[in-house]
Amino acid sequence: MKKFTAISLFSGAGGMDVGFKKAGFNVLAANELDAYACDTYEANHPDSVLFRGDINAHASSLAKYEGVDLVFGGPPCQGFSVAGKMDTEDPRSKLVFTFANTIDRLKPFAFVMENVKALGALSKFESVRNELFRRFYDAGYSVSVMILNAKDFGAAQSRERVFFIGVR
């Protein structure tokens, strides 16, 4: 049976990677900015190539993974979080568009982008959602948006998140 290939973006310590590996994906490479998260990622995912630092600095290195089956990740959510300032001008808020640009460059068969529920639910962020839909559509993807709660999947906490799921 074919093992599907994947790339992890905004990887943190690699929690999403664990799930996708359990689902049968071979996570070839990842990218993370935070040095402590990188150390943890490398300890837990020694078979994946980790590109440390700003994702934009690694665009050409990530380009060699064009055509992978899946790209997944969770761009920083602080600018969209109800626990924060909910500021679309926060530089971290722009990283959802960096994710979209990377999808356009790598052309995976599918992608999964995770973020806080507010990005998917609040009218305040409708323009951001519309811009994401436009970029994904222009790149050739049909996109579904789902808001899921971790407690519904056996987690010991109520943690709602939005998932943008695209298929080319």
Side-chain angles (χ1 to χ4, degrees):
M1 176 161 53
K2 179 185 191 263
K3 190 153 189 160
F4 295 102
T5 57
I7 301 298
S8 173
L9 304 177
F10 306 101
S11 306
M16 283 183 76
D17 299 58
V18 171
F20 279 107
K21 284 180 179 182
K22 284 184 176 183
F25 285 88
N26 179 16
V27 180
L28 303 173
N31 173 250
E32 175 53 43
L33 177 67
D34 182 87
Y36 295 109
C38 285
D39 292 344
T40 302
Y41 188 95
E42 287 181 324
N44 290 318
H45 303 283
D47 295 333
S48 298
V49 175
L50 178 64
F51 297 99
R52 291 171 166 255
D54 186 328
I55 189 171
N56 295 305
H58 295 290
S60 61
S61 297
L62 289 169
K64 78 176 190 175
Y65 297 100
E66 183 177 344
V68 295
D69 296 305
L70 177 72
V71 173
F72 65 90
C77 62
Q78 294 91 333
F80 303 115
S81 176
V82 295
K85 294 182 179 170
M86 297 175 57
D87 180 10
T88 58
E89 295 307 311
D90 181 320
R92 296 169 293 188
S93 297
K94 305 298 183 197
L95 292 171
V96 294
F97 301 121
T98 301
F99 185 96
N101 293 342
T102 304
I103 296 302
D104 189 33
R105 280 194 307 275
L106 296 184
K107 305 271 191 257
F109 175 73
F111 69 84
V112 176
M113 185 181 83
E114 175 270 343
N115 212 284
V116 293
K117 176 185 175 184
L119 177 58
L122 295 183
S123 61
K124 175 179 183 109
F125 300 126
E126 184 174 4
S127 64
V128 175
R129 286 191 302 277
N130 288 340
E131 179 63 13
L132 284 169
F133 288 138
R134 185 193 67 73
R135 288 181 186 215
F136 291 139
Y137 179 79
D138 288 351
Y141 292 87
S142 296
V143 180
S144 297
V145 177
M146 301 177 71
I147 295 176
L148 302 173
N149 193 325
K151 73 177 183 175
D152 297 331
F153 298 91
Q157 64 175 321
S158 181
R159 186 175 173 94
E160 292 182 299
R161 290 292 183 262
V162 64
F163 292 86
F164 291 79
I165 302 166
V167 177
R168 193 161 41 102

